[in-house]
Amino acid sequence: MSEDFARPCCTPSRDGDGASVHAPATDRCSDYTPETVEIPGARKPILGTARPKLAIDGEGLRRSSPIRPFRIAKTTVTNADFATFVDATGYITEAERFGWSFVFWSDVPASISMSQAVSGVEWWRRIDGATWRNINGPGSGDAWHTDHPVTQVSWNDACAFAAWAGARLPTEAEWEHAARGGLADVTYPWGDDEPDDHSFMPCNIWQGDFPQTNTAADGFANTAPAQSFAPNGYGLFNMVGNVWEWTADSYRIKSLKKAAKDRMRAMAGYRVTKGGSFLCHKSYCWRYRIAARTGNSPDSATPHMGFRLVYDV
């Protein structure tokens, strides 16, 4: 894929639509203990790839500081996990405070007859009442499953949960190091074999004609359970596909090219997200690769963004 063919990521952002409002800090919970894996450190970790597909995103090889050993959750945080957090703290997410969030066009409940499209990515709609419990808006409770990744959570929400859990979000370098599962500069957590729409479907991505027809040949039209598909070499599930994962890092691109500089100006203050989602397809958003990256404003939330926790060793 050339840069000329590269299209912007299909993830919408609030772009400063209203002030981000933080809930009061919550006490740390000593009882929440997700299943984690210890990841070995690395003196010279691979960050990016020598074979970038979307160089305009800044996914080429970049320098990284040494990584100390750390523990990372086997799965993203689930709806059940987040419900425990909310029940214990009374936390209110940013989507709830704003009163609306983004929903993919085909998932808008039939009871909602009119919705506002997002300019430039018209398959996204602004839906009042879309929250982590009703991810597609009022009346969409049947799309909520306790063992699926929590979504419709912002970066700020993810940080609040992490603080409560005595954890943090991974850096981009840590995330990539864990996603490779002990392999080198590979494209995917399982190696370099490319998923397709028919016979090789090792992760939850789009199959069909994006954004019109999703055949769901992999078994899932939306999110899959957080622990599904085969894990990588470190035993981590869904490091690509299913949901984008927030990281701790700010989104930056080191490039002298005008297109990259323009993108950086448009994404000032954004945070890096990794891994792609069930809405990714090679024909449009080929970002379900380890080195692929995008960013979003820290107050944004969608039904295809979640997060995973890291603990220091």
Side-chain angles (χ1 to χ4, degrees):
M1 180 182 290
S2 69
E3 286 194 38
D4 292 336
F5 182 72
R7 299 185 175 101
C9 181
C10 59
T11 303
S13 63
R14 291 188 187 276
D15 287 328
D17 185 1
S20 179
V21 180
H22 300 281
T26 57
D27 292 334
R28 177 174 172 176
C29 174
S30 59
D31 296 330
Y32 179 70
T33 54
E35 191 171 3
T36 61
V37 174
E38 183 166 337
I39 307 299
R43 291 183 60 193
K44 295 182 178 180
I46 300 172
L47 179 59
T49 178
R51 300 170 293 167
K53 308 299 183 185
L54 301 175
I56 195 172
D57 286 352
E59 64 181 43
L61 287 175
R62 307 183 300 286
R63 289 186 178 181
S64 174
S65 300
I67 293 176
R68 295 175 180 271
F70 61 96
R71 300 194 69 85
I72 188 168
K74 283 190 171 183
T75 73
T76 54
V77 171
T78 66
N79 283 314
D81 297 331
F82 204 78
T84 299
F85 165 60
V86 170
D87 290 346
T89 65
Y91 185 83
I92 301 173
T93 63
E94 291 198 288
E96 292 170 292
R97 290 168 180 264
F98 281 113
W100 66 273
S101 197
F102 299 106
V103 175
F104 194 71
W105 73 273
S106 60
D107 294 325
V108 176
S111 59
I112 301 176
S113 58
M114 296 185 65
S115 57
Q116 179 183 342
V118 179
S119 178
V121 282
E122 285 74 14
W123 44 87
W124 286 102
R125 302 288 192 268
R126 172 179 168 152
I127 300 297
D128 290 342
T131 70
W132 72 275
R133 288 191 187 272
N134 292 282
I135 57 177
N136 295 321
S140 63
D142 58 345
W144 193 91
H145 304 282
T146 57
D147 62 343
H148 284 223
V150 64
T151 61
Q152 293 292 14
V153 287
S154 70
W155 184 85
N156 293 315
D157 298 330
C159 289
F161 182 98
W164 172 79
R168 58 181 175 81
L169 298 181
T171 66
E172 184 176 8
E174 286 174 332
W175 189 95
E176 288 197 12
H177 184 52
R180 291 190 172 88
L183 302 178
D185 184 6
V186 292
T187 307
Y188 304 103
W190 54 84
D192 289 322
D193 292 339
E194 177 68 29
D196 59 37
D197 288 3
H198 309 288
S199 59
F200 184 56
M201 292 171 282
C203 60
N204 181 20
I205 56 176
W206 184 283
Q207 289 92 38
D209 179 22
F210 184 86
Q212 299 300 324
T213 305
N214 185 359
T215 67
D218 59 19
F220 302 97
N222 303 102
T223 58
Q227 185 166 320
S228 56
F229 296 90
N232 73 355
Y234 287 146
L236 307 178
F237 292 88
N238 291 311
M239 291 300 289
V240 298
N242 215 25
V243 293
W244 284 100
E245 298 183 21
W246 288 110
T247 73
D249 290 353
S250 298
Y251 185 81
R252 296 186 178 90
I253 304 173
K254 292 184 178 180
S255 174
L256 298 177
K257 293 185 177 181
K258 182 179 184 300
K261 289 183 176 180
D262 290 344
R263 177 170 292 191
M264 275 303 304
R265 280 191 290 271
M267 299 175 74
Y270 280 28
R271 297 289 176 164
V272 174
T273 56
K274 299 286 288 185
S277 78
F278 66 87
L279 293 177
C280 285
H281 190 266
K282 186 175 180 179
S283 66
Y284 186 89
C285 183
W286 193 11
R287 292 179 173 89
Y288 49 94
R289 295 170 290 106
I290 292 173
R293 60 202 299 268
T294 190
N296 211 328
S297 62
D299 59 356
S300 290
T302 70
H304 73 331
M305 288 197 302
F307 64 100
R308 182 183 308 254
L309 299 180
V310 158
Y311 293 82
D312 294 320
V313 174

